[in-house]
Every structure is written in C-alpha cells, then in structure tokens.
Amino acid sequence: MKIFYAIQATGNGHISRAMELLPYLQQYGKVDIFLSGANSSLRLDAPVKYRSRGLSLFYTCKGSLDYFSMVKNISPLQIKKEVAALPVEKYDLVINDFECITSLACRQKKVPSIHFGHQASFMSAKTPRPRRQSRTGEWILKKYAGATQYMGLHFRQYDDFILTPVIKSEIWNARSRNDNYITVYLPSYCDCEIRKFFGKLTAYRFQVFSREVKVQTKQGHLTFIPVSKERFNESLIHCAAIVCGAGFETPSEALHLKKKIMVMPIKGQYEQQCNAAALEQLGVRTLTRLTDDFNIIFEKWYAGALPVDISFEYNAGQITALMMQKADACL
C-alpha cells in the first residue's frame, strides 16, 4: 500500500504525533510525507518527500495570534500551484492531519481521504465549545481540512468516531515523579513577558521552554531551555505541575502523567478556546491570559490543585490499527 501522510507543521503537536505513528503506519506500506507549515520548533525525524510553507500561525509576544505575519506569509497563487501539483491520486490512502493543501487537492481530483487528528473531533457537535462560539472558528475547524472520512482525537471520546490522544511512548511508559519544579511552555509569549510574570514567584523553580534561547540559561529561579523533544519529555515527567497553552498534545500528556495543569489558550485561536472549555470540564484551571495579579492566582491554584483522574484507553499502535480499519471505507 502507498500511503500519503500530510502533516501540519504549525506548532509542534502534529509533528510529535506523526513521529509516534509513523513506525506503525510503515507496517502497512510505504509512507510518503507532506510537511506543510513554517513555524514548528521540532524536527521531523523522517524523510519528507513533499514540503510547503502552507498556511502557518504566528504569534505576538503577549499571548495572541500575529495576524499581520499570518497574512503576509499567504501566497494564494503558490497554494493554487501546489494543489494542482500534489500527486494525491497516485496513493492508495491519503491521511490528512489538518492540512488544507492536501484537502483541496483531494477535492479537486476526487480522491478520498481521512482527516485524522484532534481537529477532526470538532466535526461532532458533542465536542465541548466555549460559551461564546465563533462562526469563523467553527468554519475553519470544519472546512479547513475537509475529507471523506473523519477520525478525531480528544481528551474524552465525545462521539463514536473520536478516540483518546496519541501519547508518545516515552510518556506512555514513563514513571511520573515530582522533582519540585514547574514546567512552563507558553510559546505565544516572549521570554521578557515570562520573566515579568513568573519573576515574582521566587519561592518556586520554573523550567521555561523557550523559542528564543539557543542554549540553556539560568536566571535566578527561572531556567530557560530551548525546545527539544527529549528535554521537554524529561521536564514533563519529573515536574510537579505545568503551565502551558491550551493546545492538545501537551495537556494530554500532562493528564496521562497525573500532573497539576494550568492552561492559557492563545488569544484569537478558537481551537484552543474549545480545548480550554473541555479541560475546564475535567477540572483543569484555565486562564484567559497573564495578568498583573498572576502571582496571586498561581499561588492559590498551586496550593489547592489536584491532578485530574483520567485514563486514556489506546496506545499509538492501537490507534493506528483502528485508523487502518477506517481506511477500508476509503479504498
């Protein structure tokens, strides 16, 4: 079987998931990868046959989307050319992890595909949403990577086509430990903002994963660390708690490890607002943004927070097997 696997490289979650699934997918046939996007911090440890700048998300220093940079990096003519050139029709199976060029190519060439991943779960009205829904956000989640089949991932199985998250084997098999520090991963905030708000919390130690530093840098009780899969896994496994964005992979891994979790959705990113609503239902502390009284909020939360009692049913191998069963409907 020839498998086309389209991976969104906006952020690190899609790449992290792909690296976990790829060895299992390769048991079913030859896998060619299409990597689309321009702002992930992780490297995909596999050959990439097709590559595109795609449509990427960019962030300001203060926790919100940078719309100017996003629009500046869109080239409709280039996207049109890439859609026409992408040879999806030559593959037995097309798997799309929230990538629009592949979706458009499949629709144009009438090629069936599976939209697999977290965003696919929002095809269900049962998946949690914030109190104030966004029409634009809903349209993007449902139309950005349209397909003929959907297989979603979420914190809970809200519908019959939704599975629990893909957890990296290093996390799935890890023995969680509390080394009395807090992991911080807020890539939509600059280091200067992190120093401003976390600098007041001198009674705690923080390991901050930064998109700015090239080498580990210690500044008092704050240690800034370049983003890497291995270093982040180690930090998460051994931390007492984590403060992070309301993405999907990192909160999922923290839930699996039974860590205290505080999340802050990126301003303007509707998917993260939906995730925050789901996490809030589970008992996770959510904040809209960093504020001047963050030190007070943090101390109150840290003193009283308890890990969420949740277990995920499927490992990566089982999820891949279930996806291939669903692929029978596409073949």
Side-chain angles (χ1 to χ4, degrees):
M1 179 186 290
K2 291 180 65 179
I3 301 171
F4 183 97
Y5 188 9
I7 303 165
Q8 174 63 254
T10 290
N12 297 320
H14 302 271
I15 288 179
S16 177
R17 178 163 57 240
M19 288 192 292
E20 193 62 31
L21 292 177
L22 193 56
Y24 297 101
L25 282 173
Q26 289 169 335
Q27 296 175 14
Y28 293 89
K30 184 179 184 299
V31 182
D32 287 342
I33 293 173
F34 175 40
L35 194 64
S36 175
N39 64 345
S40 62
S41 303
L42 291 182
R43 182 172 58 89
L44 182 64
D45 295 326
V48 176
K49 185 158 187 178
Y50 311 100
R51 192 180 293 271
S52 169
R53 292 187 66 183
L55 301 177
S56 297
L57 300 181
F58 296 91
Y59 310 109
T60 67
C61 265
K62 298 187 177 182
S64 63
L65 291 174
D66 183 346
Y67 293 102
F68 176 77
S69 295
M70 289 163 58
V71 171
K72 185 177 68 173
N73 280 273
I74 294 174
S75 172
L77 182 59
Q78 181 63 27
I79 290 171
K80 185 177 179 179
K81 289 179 180 178
E82 290 177 352
V83 167
L86 205 61
V88 291
E89 71 279 6
K90 295 182 179 179
Y91 291 84
D92 302 305
L93 174 63
V94 176
I95 301 169
N96 185 347
D97 190 344
F98 202 56
E99 201 290 304
C100 74
I101 294 171
T102 300
S103 175
L104 291 170
C106 286
R107 185 172 68 181
Q108 187 178 99
K109 300 175 184 184
K110 295 180 171 55
V111 174
S113 65
I114 295 177
H115 179 191
F116 168 76
H118 176 53
Q119 286 82 3
S121 71
F122 292 99
M123 295 302 293
S124 172
K126 300 175 184 178
T127 301
R129 264 69 167 188
R131 294 182 186 87
R132 179 177 295 179
Q133 294 189 23
S134 163
R135 290 185 180 180
T136 302
E138 287 289 330
W139 186 91
I140 291 170
L141 287 173
K142 293 177 180 177
K143 301 295 185 181
Y144 182 82
T148 51
Q149 295 283 328
Y150 293 87
M151 186 172 179
L153 304 170
H154 217 302
F155 305 123
R156 282 181 170 165
Q157 294 178 264
Y158 298 104
D159 213 326
D160 57 7
F161 68 95
I162 299 173
L163 300 176
T164 50
V166 175
I167 304 295
K168 296 194 293 282
S169 56
E170 300 94 329
I171 300 296
W172 184 268
N173 299 317
R175 184 171 296 178
S176 182
R177 191 174 79 208
N178 181 350
D179 283 353
N180 200 32
Y181 63 82
I182 296 96
T183 299
V184 179
Y185 183 45
L186 295 170
S188 62
Y189 284 91
C190 291
D191 290 355
C192 60
E193 291 293 305
I194 298 295
R195 282 191 291 270
K196 174 182 174 182
F197 291 101
F198 287 84
K200 300 175 184 177
L201 294 161
T202 54
Y204 307 87
R205 291 186 299 130
F206 297 94
Q207 292 189 358
V208 181
F209 284 83
S210 165
R211 56 188 166 102
E212 296 179 42
V213 301
K214 302 300 182 186
V215 296
Q216 183 168 312
T217 306
K218 194 172 189 316
Q219 300 177 15
H221 62 293
L222 304 176
T223 301
F224 290 87
I225 306 169
V227 177
S228 78
K229 176 185 174 183
E230 294 77 14
R231 190 67 183 87
F232 183 77
N233 288 346
E234 179 186 351
S235 180
L236 182 58
I237 291 166
H238 299 152
C239 72
I242 181 167
V243 180
C244 60
F248 181 59
E249 275 69 24
T250 296
S252 296
E253 292 171 352
L255 286 169
H256 173 73
L257 292 169
K258 311 297 185 190
K259 302 294 183 180
K260 298 180 180 182
I261 310 168
M262 175 185 283
V263 300
M264 277 174 268
I266 296 169
K267 185 179 179 181
Q269 193 164 340
Y270 182 63
E271 179 211 333
Q272 291 215 357
Q273 294 170 11
C274 294
N275 293 343
L279 289 164
E280 197 167 33
Q281 288 181 11
L282 294 175
V284 171
R285 182 69 164 96
T286 65
L287 290 182
T288 305
R289 57 190 171 87
L290 291 173
T291 55
D292 289 339
D293 60 346
F294 174 71
N295 59 317
I296 299 170
I297 294 169
F298 175 89
E299 289 184 327
K300 184 177 179 180
W301 163 75
Y302 189 76
L306 294 173
V308 175
D309 185 14
I310 190 170
S311 297
F312 298 136
E313 183 175 350
Y314 304 102
N315 62 31
Q318 292 168 326
I319 288 172
T320 305
L322 290 168
M323 178 167 53
M324 297 310 292
Q325 290 176 21
K326 197 173 189 72
D328 290 341
C330 287
L331 301 178

